[in-house]
Amino acid sequence: MTVPLSILDLAHVNEGMTVRDSLDASVALARTAEASGYRRVWYAEHHNMATIASSATSVLIAHIAAHTERIRLGSGGVMLPNHSPLTIAEQFGTLETLHPGRIDLGLGRAPGSDRNTMRALRRDVTSADAFPNDVVELQGYLTGHSKIIGVDAIPGKDTNVPLYILGSSLFGAQLAAKLGLPYSFASHFAPAALEQAVAVYRAEFQPSEWLSEPYVIAGVNVAVAKTSAEAQEQLHVARRRMAAQLLGRGRTLTPEEAEAALESPAGQHVAQMAVYTGAGAPEEVVEYLDWFAGHSRADELIVVHQTGTLEARLRSVELLAEAAGLPQ
C-alpha cells in the first residue's frame, strides 16, 4: 500500500446480538487492528438507532483504549452541534490524559439522528450554523488558549488533542482548509462530492501551527476473504442487512423480505452509497485501494470492513493488513 490504512468501526448490533455483544466485538476488532498494523480506529456518534452502539462515543473510546496498548483511537466523528465545546474538550482531554498520544477528535456537524431525536438532544435545527465557531472554541480549550475569559477545560487544557474536520460536502472541506486542519471525507457512504471536496480543500488550504500541508483521509468499504467469491458473499450479506435496516424501520424482516430489500429503493440506495467498495481476495482489494488512494488524492484511507459476521470481519482485517504489508 502507498498510504496508511485505518478502520472505521460502525459498532453494528447485528441480528441475534445484544448491545454488549456489539461492544465486545468492537474491542476484538480494535485489538486485531492493533496487532495487524492499522494506524487508528474511529467510532461515529449516532443516536436512536437500534443497530448502532456508538452513541456515547467518548465512553466507547475509553473502554477500547483500556483494552488496547498503542493504536490511535478517536471519533469519526463527534457531532459537535449536539454538545457544548467545553464538554467535548473535557471528555477528550480526559481521554488524552489517560491515554497520551493515542486520541483523535474528528468533528462533524450533522445531527447523527432524526428530528425527534434532535429535540430529545435539546438541539435546535440551527445548531449546525455555529459549527465553525464551536470548532474554534473547542480548539481554544484544548490548546490552553480559551476564547471565553476565565473558563478552562480541566482536564483538556494544554492536551492539544488533534482535531479533524469530517464532511461529505464542500462546507467541511472549506472549513478544514481555512483552519489548517486535516480533512476526512465520508466517501464510504456519501461518494458524490469526493473529488470536488478534496480539490477545494487542497486548493484553499492555509498552513497552521498544527498542520503545514493538506492531509486527506478518505473512507472506503472493503470485504476481504481468501477467495473473491467468499468476499462477494460477505458483502452481499452486509448490504442485505443494511437494506433491511433501512426498509424495516425497527422491524426484523424475514430472510425472504431481507433479500427482497436489496431490490427495493432502499437496496438501490445502499448500492449508491457504497460506490467505493473493494471486495475480493486480498491482492484484489489492495489493488483497488491503491487505485482509490490515487483517485481520491488521499494521504490515508479509513476502511469499513463490510462483512456479515464478526469472525469474517476480523479475518477481513487480518487478510487486508497482510496483503497490504502493514507494519506489525
Side-chain angles (χ1 to χ4, degrees), residues 14-324:
N14 295 338
E15 184 178 353
M17 292 177 67
T18 65
V19 171
R20 179 55 191 260
D21 291 336
S22 173
L23 299 179
D24 288 344
S26 288
V27 171
L29 181 62
R31 290 173 66 89
T32 301
E34 180 173 76
S36 300
Y38 289 81
R39 174 166 289 187
R40 66 186 99 235
V41 182
W42 280 1
Y43 309 89
E45 176 187 346
H46 294 280
H47 297 281
N48 193 31
M49 299 182 71
T51 56
I52 295 180
S54 53
S55 56
T57 313
S58 60
V59 179
L60 178 58
I61 292 170
H63 180 65
I64 302 294
H67 288 80
T68 51
E69 296 179 358
R70 62 186 183 277
I71 193 167
R72 296 195 68 89
L73 302 166
S75 58
V78 160
M79 300 299 109
L80 189 55
N82 290 343
H83 314 273
S84 74
L86 177 60
T87 297
I88 297 303
E90 291 168 342
Q91 290 177 4
F92 279 79
T94 300
L95 287 168
E96 176 63 24
T97 301
L98 292 171
H99 307 283
R102 296 183 57 199
I103 303 302
D104 301 326
L105 179 47
L107 301 167
R109 66 178 182 131
S113 58
D114 54 37
R115 283 186 173 271
N116 286 338
T117 309
M118 286 174 62
R119 286 196 288 271
L121 288 165
R122 303 297 189 266
R123 173 177 174 170
D124 185 84
V125 292
T126 62
S127 298
D129 296 342
F131 181 66
N133 291 333
D134 285 349
V135 172
V136 172
E137 182 182 337
L138 172 58
Q139 190 173 54
Y141 292 131
L142 293 171
T143 59
H145 301 287
S146 176
K147 305 301 179 183
I148 300 179
I149 296 174
V151 178
D152 285 317
I154 309 295
K157 183 179 181 180
D158 295 325
T159 55
N160 295 295
V161 177
L163 302 184
Y164 297 76
I165 300 298
L166 277 59
S168 58
S169 67
L170 300 188
F171 179 90
Q174 292 168 326
L175 179 62
K178 180 180 179 180
L179 297 179
L181 292 174
Y183 179 54
S184 181
F185 190 88
S187 35
H188 61 290
F189 75 88
L194 170 64
E195 294 172 75
Q196 186 179 9
V198 172
V200 166
Y201 169 69
R202 290 192 175 280
E204 298 183 7
F205 180 82
Q206 300 177 26
S208 67
E209 61 181 293
W210 301 282
L211 193 65
S212 60
E213 297 179 348
Y215 193 86
V216 173
I217 302 175
V220 58
N221 301 288
V222 296
V224 190
K226 287 190 174 181
T227 67
S228 182
E230 183 183 350
Q232 291 295 336
E233 176 58 27
Q234 287 294 331
L235 180 63
H236 179 82
V237 172
R239 287 187 172 177
R240 184 176 62 198
R241 180 184 64 232
M242 292 172 63
Q245 290 168 354
L246 287 174
L247 194 64
R249 299 174 182 263
R251 180 175 67 89
T252 300
L253 303 184
T254 66
E256 293 76 16
E257 289 175 326
E259 191 67 34
L262 280 175
E263 304 303 322
S264 71
Q268 297 303 313
H269 180 58
V270 168
Q272 292 169 2
M273 289 167 60
V275 166
Y276 292 122
T277 298
E283 296 75 15
E284 295 174 309
V285 177
V286 168
E287 182 178 357
Y288 177 83
L289 292 181
D290 279 332
W291 169 83
F292 179 73
H295 173 73
S296 61
R297 300 173 64 192
D299 300 289
E300 179 179 338
L301 299 183
I302 188 160
V303 300
V304 183
H305 287 270
Q306 298 283 10
T307 61
T309 65
L310 173 61
E311 181 182 7
R313 190 172 304 117
L314 298 181
R315 191 65 183 134
S316 181
V317 168
E318 292 172 334
L319 288 171
L320 178 58
E322 183 179 351

